[in-house]
């Protein structure tokens, strides 16, 4: 049986494979948000938000733009 967890970003179902291990990254099929498996027991899985990859990319670009404006690049 595959465990399903609700995405904290968009509410879609994220399937957690039975053989997934703690520390593994699962990705939401709908919004692409990354989650790390924080704990895993027989019938209970807790996800830790790994951040939305696109949002993370936006943060990096924003920082670079600020650096660019300040002449740091
Ligand atoms: Zn999602």
């Amino acid at each position: 049986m595959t465990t399903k967890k609700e995405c904290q970003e968009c509410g879609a179902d994220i399937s957690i494979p039975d053989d997934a291990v703690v520390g593994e990254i699962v990705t939401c099929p709908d919004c692409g948000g990354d989650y790390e498996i924080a704990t895993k027991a027989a019938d209970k899985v807790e996800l830790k938000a790994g951040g939305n990859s696109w949002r993370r990319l936006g943060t990096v670009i924003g920082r670079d733009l600020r650096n660019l404006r300040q002449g740091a690049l």
Side-chain angles (χ1 to χ4, degrees):
M1 193 189 82
T2 307
T3 307
K4 290 201 188 261
K5 292 293 286 183
E6 192 175 273
C7 175
Q8 292 163 27
E9 293 282 339
C10 70
D13 280 341
I14 304 173
S15 300
I16 315 294
D18 280 343
D19 59 354
V21 293
V22 171
E24 203 168 306
I25 303 294
V26 292
T27 304
C28 171
D30 273 25
C31 73
D34 291 328
Y35 295 93
E36 186 181 329
I37 299 176
T39 58
K40 190 171 184 292
D43 57 350
K44 194 175 187 311
V45 176
E46 290 298 331
L47 296 182
K48 188 165 67 181
N52 184 294
S53 42
W54 288 110
R55 189 173 301 158
R56 207 157 50 220
L57 186 65
T59 305
V60 170
I61 291 172
R63 195 187 57 208
D64 284 349
L65 283 176
R66 270 196 302 280
N67 288 343
L68 191 66
R69 258 187 245 117
Q70 292 162 4
L73 284 181

